Structure formats: structure tokens, C-alpha cells
């Protein structure tokens, strides 16, 4: 419980009271839109969560467009047209963003392949039989004062 109380302020939204709309329905629509838009400064936060001045400007712009009577889709399209796919936290699937959408799967497959290859390599090393020492290696060991270290046959 204590941890939840300590961490609660970290989850607070960056929307200031001055930005909020008087109409609760419009404010709810604005919040729904701003949670879908990426902060262009922070990049891993929505503009609803960001304290950056550009995020504040975008939140105000969204609210202004809603007050002008635009639909949610029109506001999203307006912002998208001005800032491109990058402003969307969930960019559309199209040829230009295919790598972005495929990257997690590619990373997962690459990790699985690396683990599989390491396991095969380790199994082949463990399974390889020990070779007997050559006469030259035995002579070298004798000069070093080490007795024959050949493994017993199993």
C-alpha cells in the first residue's frame, strides 16, 4: 500500500487545470485523443503524460479543434497531417511502417535462433570424444615434467 501511495504521483497526467475544458464530455474526448498522440520531445510518452512545452501546445490545439466542432477522427487527422506518422503512438500498418511493426517479431526470432545455435554448439562440444595425445604432445609433456595425461578409455 505504501509503495502505491509513493508511486501514485508518478502516474499523474501532465494536463494542467488551465487546459481542461469546462464540458466534461469534450474533456473526455480530448483526453482520449491526447493519450493516442506521441510527445515529439519525449518520444515514449503520450502528450497527455508529457510535461514538455510542445506537448502542452498540442494538448491545447486538440482542445481548440474540439471546441471548433471537429470530430475525434478529424482532430487526429489534422494532427497527423501536420506531424506525420511519428506523432501517432500506434502508427498505421503500411509499407513505410512494416519494419516498425515487424521489429518485435524479428527480435524474438533472432533471440530464439541465437539460443538454439548456442545450445547446438554446446551439445556438440560436450558430445565430442577426447582425442588421444600424439607422440609429439607426449614428448612435450615429458620435457615439462608432466606425466601422460591421456584419458582412460570409457
Amino acid at each position: 500500500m505504501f509503495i502505491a501511495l509513493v508511486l501514485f504521483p508518478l502516474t499523474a497526467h501532465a494536463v494542467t487545470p488551465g487546459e481542461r475544458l469546462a464540458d466534461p464530455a469534450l474533456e473526455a474526448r480530448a483526453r482520449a485523443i491526447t493519450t493516442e498522440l506521441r510527445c515529439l520531445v519525449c518520444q515514449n510518452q503520450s502528450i497527455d503524460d508529457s510535461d514538455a512545452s510542445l506537448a502542452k501546445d498540442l494538448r491545447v490545439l486538440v482542445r481548440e479543434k474540439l471546441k471548433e466542432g471537429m470530430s475525434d477522427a478529424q482532430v487526429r487527422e489534422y494532427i497527423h497531417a501536420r506531424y506525420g506518422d511519428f506523432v501517432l503512438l500506434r502508427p498505421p500498418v503500411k509499407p513505410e511502417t512494416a519494419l516498425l511493426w515487424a521489429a518485435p517479431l524479428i527480435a524474438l526470432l533472432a533471440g530464439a535462433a541465437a539460443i538454439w545455435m548456442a545450445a547446438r554448439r554446446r551439445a556438440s562440444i560436450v558430445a565430442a570424444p577426447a582425442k588421444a595425445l600424439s607422440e609429439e604432445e607426449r614428448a612435450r609433456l615429458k620435457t615439462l615434467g608432466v606425466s601422460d595425461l591421456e584419458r582412460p578409455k570409457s
Side-chain angles (χ1 to χ4, degrees), residues 1-142:
M1 181 67 172
F2 175 73
I3 294 173
L5 290 174
V6 170
L7 294 178
F8 181 71
L10 297 177
T11 64
H13 296 288
V15 178
T16 61
E19 294 175 39
R20 290 195 178 112
L21 297 171
D23 181 1
L26 271 182
E27 180 60 25
R29 288 175 54 203
R31 295 300 283 268
I33 295 169
T34 59
T35 57
E36 297 175 359
L37 300 175
R38 179 188 320 274
C39 174
L40 300 170
V41 176
C42 307
Q43 297 183 7
N44 285 330
Q45 285 184 313
S46 69
I47 62 172
D48 196 52
D49 295 328
S50 176
D51 288 326
S53 61
L54 180 59
K56 180 184 186 301
D57 294 344
L58 286 172
R59 287 191 305 263
V60 169
L61 180 63
V62 165
R63 284 167 172 78
E64 286 174 1
K65 295 301 176 187
L66 287 174
K67 284 194 285 189
E68 290 174 8
M70 284 186 165
S71 70
D72 294 4
Q74 288 173 325
V75 173
R76 279 188 208 93
E77 183 54 39
Y78 178 81
I79 300 291
H80 180 240
R82 292 182 83 184
Y83 296 99
D85 287 337
F86 188 73
V87 78
L88 303 174
L89 280 174
R90 283 178 273 150
V93 178
K94 56 185 184 181
E96 296 86 28
T97 61
L99 182 60
L100 176 68
W101 283 101
L105 179 61
I106 292 169
L108 182 66
L109 292 175
I115 291 170
W116 180 73
M117 288 171 44
R120 282 190 48 139
R121 188 176 307 124
R122 183 177 181 99
S124 68
I125 290 171
V126 170
K131 294 182 182 178
L133 295 175
S134 68
E135 289 302 318
E136 185 180 310
E137 291 169 331
R138 286 185 182 154
R140 175 92 172 117
L141 284 174
K142 282 183 182 178

